[in-house]
Amino acid sequence: MRELKIGTSWVRGVVGDALTPELIVNFACAFGTWCDGETVVVGRDTRRSSAMLHAAVVSGLLSTGCEVVDLGVIPTPVVSFAVRELGASGEYRLPAAITMFVGTH
């Protein structure tokens, strides 16, 4: 098994090896709890694993009562822009590294 890499605002790993949907649901639940169930913006890229990881993130966030604004497939900078424009509590960007940031509201 390859190693999972965890930074202050991101997680990296080989999808299906160290990086599993179950793990991503757990990270999303923790992030949603930390955001206290407020609005979180989610965006993703076109990689094959993106749809699966996206479903895991949305499931975890919804389970904590977060309102999820799903931007679908979108360039990374637009996700951060949407957080500021919408006054959201945070964002999730999928992949290459799964990135979680707290908004600036």
Side-chain angles (χ1 to χ4, degrees):
M1 182 193 259
R2 294 193 178 152
E3 187 176 300
L4 186 68
K5 297 179 182 182
I6 303 172
T8 57
S9 62
W10 53 266
V11 178
R12 281 185 191 259
V14 176
V15 174
D17 191 3
L19 194 60
T20 64
E22 295 84 6
L23 178 72
I24 298 309
V25 167
N26 289 336
F27 273 107
C29 284
F31 188 65
T33 300
W34 192 83
C35 288
D36 201 24
E38 294 186 14
T39 303
V40 177
V41 177
V42 178
R44 64 187 181 96
D45 67 12
T46 58
R47 294 170 209 241
R48 288 188 309 198
S49 60
S50 183
M52 173 188 64
L53 297 175
H54 172 267
V57 165
V58 171
S59 296
L61 292 172
L62 289 174
S63 75
T64 63
C66 285
E67 176 185 344
V68 176
V69 176
D70 185 2
L71 301 179
V73 176
I74 197 157
T76 299
V78 178
V79 179
S80 296
F81 177 78
V83 169
R84 286 188 297 279
E85 287 297 305
L86 298 172
S89 293
E91 67 186 73
Y92 248 94
R93 291 181 283 178
L94 303 154
I98 295 174
T99 309
M100 304 156 277
F101 287 111
V102 177
T104 56
H105 75 292

